[in-house]
Amino acid sequence: MDDEGDDMVLSGRTGAPRRAGGGRARAARVAAALAGAVLALAACSAPEAVAPAPETVTVSPTIDPAKAAAPAPVVPPTWPLTGLPGEPAARPALAVKIENTAVARPQSGLEQADVVWETIVEFDVSRLIAVFHSQVPGEVGPIRSVRPMDPPVTAPLRGLLAYSGGQEGILDLVAASGVQTLSHDAGVEGMYRIRGRSAPHNVYGSPETFWRLADAGHQAAPTEQFEFARSLDRAAAVVGGTPVGTLAFRLSAASSPSWSWDGTSWLRSEGSTPSVSASGVRLAATNVVAITADHPATGFGAQGGAAVPTYTLVGSGDAVVASGGKIVQARWQKDADDQPMRLFLPDGSPATLAPGNTWVELVPAGSGSLAVG
């Protein structure tokens, strides 16, 4: 029997086999097979159902007002030349040349200066540059003449400089420094001679009048010169300094000022004689700063041919800062005549001063000295 046996049936009449529509049956099977294949192929190629992406819901965070960022702290204003709290007055710094010989003492107004610079001029004489801003003395003096070291001290203040007079070449240096000059020899208002003292130790002046004379280019308050800590306990010398009781300077053969700590401030003496103002107030300082700098002679001459010296104040050098009964070694740096002097600790951080007034002792390098005790 071949593969067509499935199509054979028995004849009821003869019993012999016969074919019953074999071609049509085979065609039907083929068609059914093809239909199944087509369905299977369709099933295989049908796209796979993809589940829908979950819906994204954005929820804004709720900020608790009680946990909001704290506002930036408000830093209270301070006076630029003392670091003391207060709203600085809208007036320029006023520098005044003050005599410091024995016949000039006691001087007027020094107890109200923000900063006093002590310099050595010809004949080993001490002369002061008193800078006023936060306080207004009724009178200052005796007022004396300018010297070559005055411009690098006063130019950074960009204010007023009052003096009695000076040599022509030195006057040119002062005029070129950018300060507004107020000269007795030029007949400035507010400067006069008093009775009871002989010339040239009797020229005095009115700071209130000097400030009133400030021109349009010299109205602004000074910027901070030295850097101040916010409080005494944060000052550089107090934080990392060595306790001392006295500061004994030798600035020249004729000038040996000293300072003693009384638990509150540094008290000044001329040698062993306490320094007082004309009002009877003991001269004192919150900070005493020693600046060691070269002290060369200039081409200007004084009486008898004596050379007029100056200080080399552009550059850097050794310094000592005294605050709160302690001292700390430092370095000074000044980049140009019209730039303020900066003080740095050995690690390069600022040597901050305590809030209050400051006396700066300019120590001639090689001949001057400071001894502490």
Side-chain angles (χ1 to χ4, degrees):
M1 184 180 295
D2 59 20
D3 55 3
E4 294 179 356
D6 291 337
D7 296 326
M8 296 178 65
V9 297
L10 295 175
S11 173
R13 215 173 77 176
T14 63
R18 67 179 178 85
R19 297 186 182 277
R24 287 193 299 273
R26 185 168 60 251
R29 290 198 307 272
V30 171
L34 289 174
V38 170
L39 290 173
L41 180 62
C44 293
S45 61
E48 183 180 353
V50 179
E55 183 178 358
T56 302
V57 179
T58 303
V59 179
S60 300
T62 300
I63 299 177
D64 183 352
K67 296 181 179 180
V74 177
V75 179
T78 58
W79 289 87
L81 302 185
T82 65
L84 290 170
E87 189 67 42
R91 58 174 173 252
L94 167 64
V96 185
K97 291 302 303 293
I98 303 292
E99 184 179 0
N100 192 37
T101 59
V103 294
R105 304 179 196 126
Q107 301 98 328
S108 296
L110 288 179
E111 72 276 23
Q112 292 180 271
D114 290 348
V115 186
V116 179
W117 297 70
E118 183 165 17
T119 69
I120 298 300
V121 296
E122 63 275 10
F123 306 115
D124 287 337
V125 173
S126 163
R127 188 157 292 179
L128 309 175
I129 307 170
V131 182
F132 302 89
H133 182 243
S134 66
Q135 299 186 61
V136 183
E139 184 176 66
V140 292
I143 300 174
R144 294 301 300 269
S145 55
V146 288
R147 290 297 183 271
M149 68 277 290
D150 297 339
V153 171
T154 60
L157 297 166
R158 294 172 171 81
L160 314 177
L161 175 58
Y163 53 88
S164 62
Q167 294 185 39
E168 183 175 350
I170 300 176
L171 291 175
D172 292 340
L173 294 176
V174 174
S177 69
V179 301
Q180 180 181 345
T181 59
L182 304 172
S183 170
H184 179 258
D185 286 357
V188 70
E189 183 183 352
M191 212 172 293
Y192 45 83
R193 294 187 183 274
I194 65 169
R195 296 179 179 178
R197 291 197 178 191
S198 60
H201 318 289
N202 61 349
V203 177
Y204 282 70
S206 164
E208 186 174 1
T209 301
F210 297 157
W211 270 309
R212 184 165 50 80
L213 297 175
D215 61 30
H218 298 85
Q219 294 284 333
T223 57
E224 187 177 79
Q225 302 293 297
F226 297 119
E227 188 167 342
F228 290 92
R230 300 299 297 185
S231 58
L232 172 64
D233 61 313
R234 299 179 185 179
V238 176
V239 172
T242 302
V244 298
T246 58
L247 309 169
F249 288 91
R250 185 183 185 278
L251 302 183
S252 70
S255 180
S256 299
S258 63
W259 300 85
S260 59
W261 179 250
D262 73 343
T264 302
S265 58
W266 296 102
L267 302 180
R268 179 178 171 88
S269 296
E270 296 289 347
S272 59
T273 303
S275 299
V276 296
S277 69
S279 64
V281 175
R282 179 75 182 269
L283 297 183
T286 300
N287 307 287
V288 178
V289 177
I291 300 295
T292 300
D294 289 339
H295 189 237
T298 67
F300 300 105
Q303 298 94 324
V308 175
T310 190
Y311 287 87
T312 303
L313 295 180
V314 174
S316 62
D318 294 332
V320 174
V321 176
S323 307
K326 295 183 178 181
I327 63 167
V328 66
Q329 299 294 322
R331 295 282 294 173
W332 64 266
Q333 180 176 323
K334 184 173 168 66
D335 297 330
D337 276 352
D338 63 351
Q339 296 299 307
M341 181 174 286
R342 302 298 188 190
L343 300 172
F344 299 96
L345 297 174
D347 65 0
S349 61
T352 54
L353 304 185
N357 70 318
T358 302
W359 276 65
V360 182
E361 303 286 3
L362 287 175
V363 182
S367 60
S369 63
L370 166 62
V372 300

